[in-house]
Amino acid sequence: MARTNVEYRGRATALSRIRVTRLGVAATAVMLTAALGGCAQAPGSAAAAPKGVTVLDYGVTTKSLSSIPLLVGEAKGFFSDAGLKLNVAVVGQSGKVCQQVIAGALNVGECSTSDAIQAIGSGGKITIPFFMSQSVLPNSVYAKPGITSWSQLKGKTVMVAGPRDNTMYFTKLMAAAGGLNLKDVTLQYAGSSTDRFAALKSGAVDATILTTPYDFKAKTAGFTQLDDLTKHLPASQYAGNGVVVGRSWAANNKPVLKKLYSAMEKSLAYALDPKNKADVISVLQQQAKVDAPTAQWGYTKLLSSGYFFTGGKPDNGGLNGIVSSLKSLGFLSHGTVPSNTDICDETLVLGSS
């Protein structure tokens, strides 16, 4: 029988701190807001900024290959050229990035569109002003050596990021295509690919979903790739990710937000230009602290595959696909389904549509 709420204490010491609860995004944001009361200085306040520079507190789940626009923008000076300084906070879990943006602890954050939609549906006053990727992040499920089919996972332990995370939907979708119902496995949770790979490597779980570069690490370590998510979800059925901002903050900081968008677009254009391939790979090695083969893998998976794009506006069909996925999992019910214009307000950076 699958466990639906697990405090994971696996053998890998890196995972001992992980604890997953069912607190809703809005409820957690309220608690976080209370905890932050009395902080001496607001995020990105002018007092912390050098003259002529706007400081933004910018949250990411992890500063790795999936943050290519950020890494390239920092390395090539596109943010500083725009008069911006990004204080990057590594939060570790997508849902927590959304929570901290809602609470005002971050000005801007990179969280999954799935988590953003759940937050908005729960009353969180955030929106996505622009997107940087147009399709689902490349994810693969890797299993212990000897497990070569989904059916062999019946009765075994599978790890996803969280019970309300998009990795739950992704894994359920791939498992169903492979003839496995996730009710027939024991589910455990860890918010980042870093921790999920550690659990797989330690033998604490039998299979898990991973993204770049941890899919490459699993491949080179001899684990079995059971499935590749990109085979199941084209951009027209599941949109990519952008940045989230608080609505009030965005309304009061449109010029700053437009500068951020412009800098990100320059970063994306530079990264996507094939003539810059060698330099981008070098940036990934230095900024993400990976070796050359891993940087090459990430470049191919995330740039050459068409995951990233310029223009900022997502496919409406892709947004509808994410909403449908959340409804199918019971995470959005009648009265909590936000419209596409609630989810994505590109007029903040692109002007009136």
Side-chain angles (χ1 to χ4, degrees), residues 64-85:
S64 67
L65 298 182
S66 60
S67 293
I68 285 175
L70 171 65
L71 302 182
V72 171
E74 287 187 318
K76 307 310 295 183
F78 296 127
F79 301 120
S80 59
D81 289 348
L84 301 174
K85 174 176 170 48

Side-chain angles (χ1 to χ4, degrees), residues 10 18 24 41 84 90 117 143-144 152 178 212 232 276-277 280 285 294 314 335-336:
I18 297 172
Q41 188 169 304
L84 301 174
V90 176
I117 291 173
K144 289 179 177 179
Q152 289 176 284
T212 302
H232 301 269
N276 298 324
K277 177 179 177 179
V280 172
Q285 283 184 255
T294 303
T336 66

Side-chain angles (χ1 to χ4, degrees), residues 6 9 31 70 99 150 193-194 269 296-297 310:
V6 176
R9 300 188 184 277
M31 293 175 64
L70 171 65
Q99 292 164 12
W150 280 102
S193 277
T194 307
Q296 175 73 48
W297 173 271
T310 57

Side-chain angles (χ1 to χ4, degrees), residues 196-231:
R196 294 195 297 277
F197 176 65
L200 181 66
K201 192 175 180 180
S202 72
V205 299
D206 297 291
T208 190
I209 184 168
L210 300 168
T211 192
T212 302
Y214 296 96
D215 55 350
F216 183 65
K217 291 178 182 291
K219 177 183 174 69
T220 55
F223 292 99
T224 304
Q225 184 186 35
L226 287 186
D227 216 333
D228 181 343
L229 181 62
T230 57
K231 298 176 182 178

Side-chain angles (χ1 to χ4, degrees), residues 1-73:
M1 187 74 177
R3 291 196 291 264
T4 58
N5 192 24
V6 176
E7 182 173 342
Y8 174 64
R9 300 188 184 277
R11 279 167 277 176
T13 56
L15 299 180
S16 62
R17 67 186 184 277
I18 297 172
R19 184 173 182 270
V20 179
T21 71
R22 284 186 173 274
L23 282 176
V25 172
T28 308
V30 171
M31 293 175 64
L32 184 56
T33 303
L36 289 168
C39 285
Q41 188 169 304
S45 64
K51 186 176 179 179
V53 175
T54 300
V55 178
L56 293 178
D57 288 305
Y58 189 100
V60 295
T61 56
T62 179
K63 203 170 181 181
S64 67
L65 298 182
S66 60
S67 293
I68 285 175
L70 171 65
L71 302 182
V72 171

Side-chain angles (χ1 to χ4, degrees), residues 161-192:
R164 301 179 69 90
D165 188 85
N166 56 6
T167 56
M168 173 69 85
Y169 174 69
F170 298 158
T171 304
K172 183 178 180 181
L173 180 71
M174 289 184 281
L180 176 70
N181 190 320
L182 288 188
K183 291 181 179 179
D184 295 326
V185 305
T186 296
L187 289 172
Q188 292 193 355
Y189 308 117
S192 71

Side-chain angles (χ1 to χ4, degrees), residues 65-66 68 138 212-213 215-216 281 284 290 292-305 308:
L65 298 182
S66 60
I68 285 175
T212 302
D215 55 350
F216 183 65
I281 290 174
L284 297 184
V290 297
T294 303
Q296 175 73 48
W297 173 271
Y299 180 93
T300 301
K301 290 277 284 189
L302 294 168
L303 292 171
S304 300
S305 66
F308 289 112

